[in-house]
Amino acid sequence: MITEPTSKYLSNTVQSIQPSGIRRFFDLASSMENVISLGVGEPDFVTPWNVIEASYHSLEQGYTAYTANAGLFELRKEISRYMKRRFGVSYSAEEEIVVTVGASQAIDIALRAVINPGEEVIVVEPSFVSYAPTVTLAGGVPVPVNTYSEDDFKLQPEQIEAAITDKTKVLMLCSPNNPTGTVLSKGDLERIAEVVEKHDLLVISDEIYAELTYDEPYTSFPAVKNMRDRTILISGFSKAFAMTGWRLGFACGPKPILQAMLKIHQYTMMCAPTMAQHAALEALVNGQKDVVKMKESYRQRRSLVIHALEEMGLSCHVPGGAFYVFPSIEKTGLSSEEFAEQLLMKEQVAVVPGSVFGESGEGHVRCSYATSVQKLEEAMRRIDRFLQTL
Amino acid sequence: MNSTERELLKLIEKNGRLETGTIAKLMGITEDETKQILDKLEKEKVILGYSAIIDWTKGTEEGAVTAMIDVKVTPKRGVGFDKVAERIYRFPEVKAVYLMSGVYDLSVSIEGKTMAEVGRFVSEKLSTIDSVISTTTHFILKKYKHDGLVFSDNDEDKRIVVSP
Ligand SMILES: Cc1ncc(COP(=O)(O)O)c(C=O)c1O
């Protein structure tokens, strides 16, 4: 991949990880014109205006300096209130919350704070593309556990037990899931919690899509009995508040772990961007109405897309959250890469091959419905036409 | 009004051209149900009509001039402002009439091809109504936002084509 002579300077760790399959597909898709993209993992809304204004005010008032390492105290207090109000979990703003540069950085420092070289982290696949590489970068060993469409891509507790070795330390959960949209119910989480407790695991629960669930009330993993003190909760503003470009997220968890994460954060990042923190504060205080509006619109589009896929005979479980559907393309006989590539070439519709999310993503493609109704309808017509040609 | 009806209204308020099939799929109901709800809401005059919001400055000159006219009137005994308002809203060039609180009584919005045409309407038709005491005409110089829609071009998708 990278040729001599400079590659000799690279660390073995970084050489051992592959570039993201999403990146490869991005390069291909962006070389083409008039693409309808169902390949985006982010909202199609612009950040609500009051939130944008809050960042202007922040700058106007001269907040152009660092904040506390853990983040603006007002923001942490508001995150604490928000977690209590929305999910019924209490965290101390002083010691148990760190504001980060996106949920992405929160995941990174969470792993680095807890992993010793060679320790194993169970990653539920299909999974968000960054989990396994971040585990590797932290010196850990990612252990994939596959989930399947027959189970609606729900992790079965026995699967965790089967994957456990004496090196296993962490279970990474993501509900609602990217790319499958699967939401674990309270009952699912309680069954997982039993295994977690029995084997004394730590859980990193990525709940960045928690606000975007459509069918049942959401249960946050730390709200499950006995789980608060063995969970690092990861969340952020990217998805619910349409703030992907602001790079703002947070982690909550028991004090010793969060203080360890804070050490890494303080030496590597100092703090999250100040004007983005003021914007996020506004989002938490006054943003819930916008979240509800955007969510309503995602729910409608989910319904549109699922109908369309059903009509064209691509089977698809009904995803309970996030803004992805993950239909099976197995009956076409194509691999997910071939399917995505041919669809892009023939009909200029970009979807993401399921294989980039792990082995068990093969046979599926990820379609994001965070796109206008008109574009979705056109994309569905094109996919249908593409299927006819196979 | 129930929540299904409200959801449907919000959808068509944003886009009156949505086909019933699409509305049905978006809401997860059948096409028949969608038609029934639409019929009912039309009968009850909750839905008054379906119209497009057009930026006339882009194409033809038609309706290119819009004016808002503040009108002071003497209310007639027994009928109040309603009769005067009716005499005004019957004119086809009148797009909207509102009864206002404050220093004037009626706000009338009218559209014409030219300023002269609007001027003629005010001097010949509006101010000659006998209960009209005075009019103040404001021409709209530029429309930025109308009925919740922004009149500008730059709403293209700024996202990269594939992202995590
Ligand atoms: C499951 C999941 N976690 C984390 C992230 C990253 O979020 P952020 O933009 O806050 O870094 C994403 C983004 O796609 C995601 O899908």
Side-chain angles (χ1 to χ4, degrees):
Chain A
M1 207 179 318
I2 297 168
T3 48
E4 294 283 357
T6 43
S7 67
K8 68 173 185 235
Y9 298 114
L10 296 175
S11 77
N12 297 336
T13 316
V14 87
Q15 292 201 70
S16 76
I17 58 181
Q18 295 295 312
S20 159
I22 290 237
R23 196 76 222 163
R24 238 179 303 138
F25 213 71
F26 166 75
D27 291 340
L28 187 62
S30 37
S31 67
M32 301 190 55
E33 306 233 321
N34 300 323
V35 173
I36 298 186
S37 183
L38 308 183
V40 280
E42 56 190 319
D44 61 323
F45 297 99
V46 174
T47 309
W49 188 252
N50 59 320
V51 175
I52 295 178
E53 285 232 306
S55 77
Y56 293 166
H57 287 152
S58 169
L59 291 171
E60 276 164 3
Q61 288 166 24
Y63 286 109
T64 56
Y66 297 130
T67 66
N69 294 126
L72 283 170
F73 189 53
E74 301 93 287
L75 176 58
R76 279 180 282 146
K77 273 195 295 197
E78 204 51 50
I79 290 171
S80 170
R81 275 189 216 117
Y82 169 77
M83 288 307 298
K84 180 84 196 142
R85 176 177 80 232
R86 289 287 287 116
F87 307 111
V89 209
S90 298
Y91 292 106
S92 125
E94 284 84 359
E95 297 171 320
E96 297 185 316
I97 296 173
V98 175
V99 177
T100 57
V101 179
S104 301
Q105 193 220 347
I107 295 166
D108 180 35
I109 60 176
L111 286 164
R112 283 200 276 162
V114 301
I115 294 298
N116 291 307
E119 285 178 338
E120 293 177 358
V121 177
I122 297 177
V123 175
V124 184
E125 290 188 348
S127 88
F128 176 46
V129 291
S130 84
Y131 294 161
T134 352
V135 170
T136 308
L137 288 170
V141 179
V143 177
V145 167
N146 295 333
T147 58
Y148 302 97
S149 50
E150 302 87 271
D151 303 325
D152 286 349
F153 294 103
K154 284 187 174 189
L155 172 69
Q156 306 302 313
E158 315 81 65
Q159 291 183 286
I160 312 175
E161 296 219 278
I164 284 175
T165 71
D166 53 4
K167 298 214 183 77
T168 308
K169 188 170 208 175
V170 177
L171 166 66
M172 289 201 69
L173 287 181
C174 178
S175 164
N177 179 279
N178 172 7
T180 64
T182 291
V183 180
L184 298 172
S185 69
K186 184 154 187 273
D188 297 329
L189 294 175
E190 281 167 352
R191 282 189 293 280
I192 292 169
E194 274 174 33
V195 184
V196 165
E197 203 165 12
K198 179 168 155 207
H199 295 275
D200 195 19
L201 301 180
L202 177 74
V203 173
I204 297 179
S205 186
D206 181 347
E207 305 189 2
I208 193 158
Y209 295 100
E211 288 281 5
L212 305 179
T213 59
Y214 309 107
D215 305 319
E216 310 167 25
Y218 183 75
T219 306
S220 176
F221 194 72
V224 174
K225 189 162 166 263
N226 296 340
M227 287 301 112
R228 183 203 178 274
D229 288 334
R230 44 172 84 243
T231 304
I232 306 174
L233 176 118
I234 308 285
S235 191
F237 298 86
S238 289
K239 313 293 171 169
F241 297 97
M243 291 177 71
T244 48
W246 297 75
R247 311 310 306 125
L248 212 68
F250 59 89
C252 307
K255 177 179 164 188
I257 297 180
L258 264 281
Q259 290 307 303
M261 287 168 63
L262 180 58
K263 266 199 264 180
I264 308 174
H265 178 72
Q266 114 192 34
Y267 290 129
T268 53
M269 201 61 68
M270 310 275 269
C271 66
T274 305
M275 69 278 215
Q277 293 190 53
H278 280 119
L281 182 58
E282 170 67 18
L284 286 183
V285 176
N286 292 313
Q288 204 61 32
K289 266 209 318 264
D290 287 295
V291 173
V292 170
K293 253 203 268 175
M294 291 190 271
K295 175 171 140 167
E296 171 79 358
S297 148
Y298 294 134
R299 188 177 56 74
Q300 290 168 342
R301 295 185 246 168
R302 175 185 71 152
S303 163
L304 181 79
V305 169
I306 286 173
H307 264 90
L309 292 173
E310 248 170 35
E311 273 172 19
M312 59 181 100
L314 289 185
S315 72
C316 182
H317 78 287
V318 177
F323 32 60
Y324 311 107
V325 289
F326 202 59
S328 162
I329 48 105
E330 254 159 42
K331 67 161 204 181
T332 64
L334 299 175
S335 73
S336 63
E337 288 249 3
E338 288 164 347
F339 182 95
E341 201 168 319
Q342 289 187 24
L343 176 63
L344 183 64
M345 296 304 171
K346 287 191 192 159
E347 293 286 353
Q348 289 80 52
V349 175
V351 298
V352 183
S355 58
V356 314
F357 306 104
E359 198 184 297
S360 57
E362 186 48 85
H364 295 78
V365 292
R366 189 190 75 178
C367 308
S368 157
Y369 49 85
T371 294
S372 73
V373 171
Q374 283 92 326
K375 282 193 189 159
L376 284 175
E377 287 197 305
E378 176 60 21
M380 292 300 137
R381 270 192 291 276
R382 292 188 191 182
I383 295 176
D384 194 25
R385 199 156 60 203
F386 169 68
L387 291 173
Q388 316 280 335
T389 66
L390 295 178
Chain B
M1 193 175 305
N2 64 35
S3 63
T4 317
E5 291 170 353
R6 239 191 325 265
E7 185 181 346
L8 189 150
L9 287 173
K10 280 192 192 147
L11 274 173
I12 59 171
E13 184 184 30
K14 250 191 273 161
N15 181 356
R17 282 194 68 201
L18 283 179
E19 286 167 27
T20 44
T22 306
I23 299 174
K25 283 179 201 151
L26 283 167
M27 297 186 35
I29 59 180
T30 66
E31 219 172 321
D32 279 347
E33 280 175 276
T34 311
K35 286 199 187 105
Q36 271 168 23
I37 299 176
L38 281 169
D39 278 351
K40 170 171 178 275
L41 294 171
E42 284 168 18
K43 264 201 208 96
E44 291 173 352
K45 296 238 180 220
V46 176
I47 301 173
L48 298 170
Y50 301 85
S51 69
I53 294 167
I54 291 160
D55 186 351
W56 285 109
T57 59
K58 289 253 171 67
T60 90
E61 292 304 297
E62 190 149 345
V65 180
T66 308
M68 317 268 287
I69 309 162
D70 310 342
V71 186
K72 282 191 191 162
V73 302
T74 29
K76 291 246 166 66
R77 188 183 299 272
V79 291
F81 293 102
D82 296 355
K83 270 282 172 275
V84 199
E86 184 177 346
R87 282 194 63 189
I88 296 173
Y89 70 62
R90 292 289 176 205
F91 289 112
E93 49 274 73
V94 171
K95 292 290 164 198
V97 178
Y98 310 109
L99 179 62
M100 308 294 288
S101 67
V103 293
Y104 59 94
D105 306 303
L106 295 172
S107 172
V108 176
S109 128
I110 102 150
E111 279 180 8
K113 281 201 186 72
T114 61
M115 256 157 90
E117 190 178 293
V118 173
R120 255 194 318 277
F121 172 81
V122 176
S123 60
E124 292 169 13
K125 295 180 176 163
L126 190 58
S127 49
T128 53
I129 296 174
D130 60 1
S131 38
V132 168
I133 304 167
S134 74
T135 64
T136 311
T137 304
H138 311 274
F139 286 101
I140 290 177
L141 301 180
K142 183 172 176 179
K143 281 187 190 166
Y144 293 100
K145 190 176 184 183
H146 182 80
D147 265 1
L149 282 183
V150 174
F151 279 59
S152 80
D153 293 323
N154 68 31
D155 57 352
E156 91 272 17
D157 198 337
K158 296 187 178 66
R159 296 174 300 172
I160 54 178
V161 280
V162 177
S163 71

